[in-house]
Amino acid sequence: MRRPRFVDLSIFILKYIFNWRFWIAEITKKSKIYKKIIDKMLFEDDEILVIPNTINVNKKIESEGCEFLPTEVIKDVIRRCDDIVIMNTCLCRSSNDCKDYPQDIGCIFLGPTANKIPEHVGRKASVEEALAQVDLADSYGLSHIIGRNKIDTVWMNIHPGKGLLTICHCCPCCCLWKVYPNLDDEISNKLEKLDGVNVKIHTENCKMCKKCLNDICMFQAISLKDNKISIDYDICRGCGLCVNTCKFDAITINYDDKTIDNVINRMEDLIEIKKL
């Protein structure tokens, strides 16, 4: 199958401008016209949820007599889909030439539009292969972001967008959403924290190793105040990367009952891609 030139050109451009992404995002705060253009082109109708991974999560969610960890929500979505494509490489990590996390753990695309993805970009996969990909991402401490992301339909030139659901496996160093603090609020607010997810600092356990400060938080929610680790809960999206980094249980992540209903209801809405 001949490689579509448009997609190859898009990949080339994305890799070229990847290190300019923070500057590009920052302009959305300075120009209303530019913000509208960027929002229209890349983020219109986005609905993206951050799903913490399973590592070091200190509490399971209980629902109707069952227990499941956040990643199981993603797996449940995968099990309901017939059309699955796994990206051959992570575009973010390969663009950033990541040395800390595997570049070959790529996104999972679900839905009928996924069948239009060129073969040299992603391979068709079974449910079992997609579930194994999620487990592999978990084993490396990657955090999951799931949702409809217009930018994927743009760079691959595939439509309709409502027929494509993207599951990203994000590392703290390369994820595209590290631009979150640089974007105008109207755009960045499309990346949502699950209701009922709470990250907490236990100062009595903190050894002040400061590893959680070393560019771990994608959203710049962690800082050092009065010689203590502090989290800005208005910014925090509950990805769990800081929890994975802390070896002393000084940062934990918990869930309340709202999480259960929110996860189930929101995921059922996204699963409607199967009906298209």
Side-chain angles (χ1 to χ4, degrees):
M1 180 178 179
R2 188 175 62 181
R3 295 186 175 190
R5 294 181 179 178
F6 181 91
V7 177
D8 288 342
L9 179 61
S10 296
I11 293 175
F12 174 80
I13 293 173
L14 285 172
K15 287 188 174 183
Y16 181 78
I17 68 173
F18 191 78
N19 290 326
W20 293 82
R21 65 195 187 280
F22 298 104
W23 177 79
I24 294 171
E26 191 68 36
I27 301 179
T28 62
K29 292 183 176 181
K30 301 177 180 179
S31 170
K32 291 183 179 180
I33 295 176
Y34 177 82
K35 181 192 74 174
K36 289 181 179 180
I37 293 173
I38 292 296
D39 189 28
K40 181 73 174 179
M41 290 178 57
L42 303 177
F43 300 102
E44 186 178 48
D45 298 325
D46 275 6
E47 185 176 356
I48 307 169
L49 300 175
V50 178
I51 308 290
N53 60 31
T54 61
I55 300 176
N56 287 345
V57 174
N58 69 341
K59 183 180 179 181
K60 295 182 179 180
I61 304 173
E62 298 182 6
S63 177
E64 297 181 356
C66 300
E67 288 188 342
F68 61 92
L69 291 164
T71 301
E72 289 301 322
V73 178
I74 296 176
K75 290 184 175 181
D76 185 54
V77 175
I78 291 172
R79 293 186 184 101
R80 300 189 192 192
C81 290
D82 298 324
D83 306 302
I84 304 173
V85 170
I86 298 178
M87 197 172 180
N88 296 328
T89 60
C90 172
L91 190 55
C92 294
R93 281 188 282 278
S94 61
S95 298
N96 209 37
D97 194 24
C98 185
K99 304 298 184 184
D100 298 321
Y101 296 89
Q103 296 184 20
D104 59 353
I105 301 181
C107 296
I108 300 173
F109 299 106
L110 307 176
T113 302
N115 293 320
K116 300 179 182 180
I117 295 174
E119 292 180 358
H120 72 288
V121 172
R123 64 190 185 279
K124 291 187 177 181
S126 66
V127 169
E128 290 71 23
E129 289 172 324
L131 297 178
Q133 180 86 340
V134 173
D135 287 336
L136 181 63
D138 270 347
S139 71
Y140 281 96
L142 302 176
S143 191
H144 310 288
I145 295 178
I146 181 171
R148 296 195 184 105
N149 196 344
K150 185 175 182 179
I151 193 171
D152 288 327
T153 65
V154 171
W155 75 266
M156 288 188 290
N157 193 29
I158 53 176
H159 303 282
K162 290 185 178 180
L164 187 71
L165 188 66
T166 303
I167 302 173
C168 295
H169 314 296
C170 302
C171 63
C173 46
C174 305
C175 179
L176 178 64
W177 279 103
K178 280 178 69 70
V179 302
Y180 172 89
N182 301 75
L183 286 168
D184 181 86
D185 290 346
E186 289 187 16
I187 299 177
S188 62
N189 286 341
K190 295 181 182 184
L191 184 67
E192 301 180 44
K193 177 181 178 181
L194 286 175
D195 286 344
V197 172
N198 297 296
V199 180
K200 184 178 180 180
I201 293 179
H202 304 272
T203 55
E204 67 276 11
N205 294 336
C206 182
K207 306 299 182 183
M208 290 301 292
C209 67
K210 301 182 181 180
K211 289 184 178 180
C212 60
L213 294 174
N214 296 332
D215 207 24
I216 292 299
C217 181
M218 293 193 296
F219 312 108
Q220 296 182 15
I222 302 178
S223 61
L224 188 65
K225 294 183 178 180
D226 299 325
N227 205 33
K228 292 182 180 180
I229 301 298
S230 176
I231 295 179
D232 186 334
Y233 295 104
D234 291 331
I235 300 176
C236 174
R237 287 297 179 265
C239 68
L241 289 172
C242 60
V243 178
N244 297 341
T245 300
C246 183
K247 305 303 181 184
F248 306 105
D249 294 327
I251 308 178
T252 57
I253 190 166
N254 292 288
Y255 311 86
D256 60 28
D257 293 339
K258 291 189 298 183
T259 306
I260 301 169
D261 293 334
N262 184 60
V263 168
I264 294 173
N265 293 336
R266 296 295 295 279
M267 289 301 111
E268 284 183 350
D269 289 341
L270 293 175
I271 292 168
E272 288 183 1
I273 58 173
K274 189 174 180 179
K275 302 176 183 178
L276 294 177

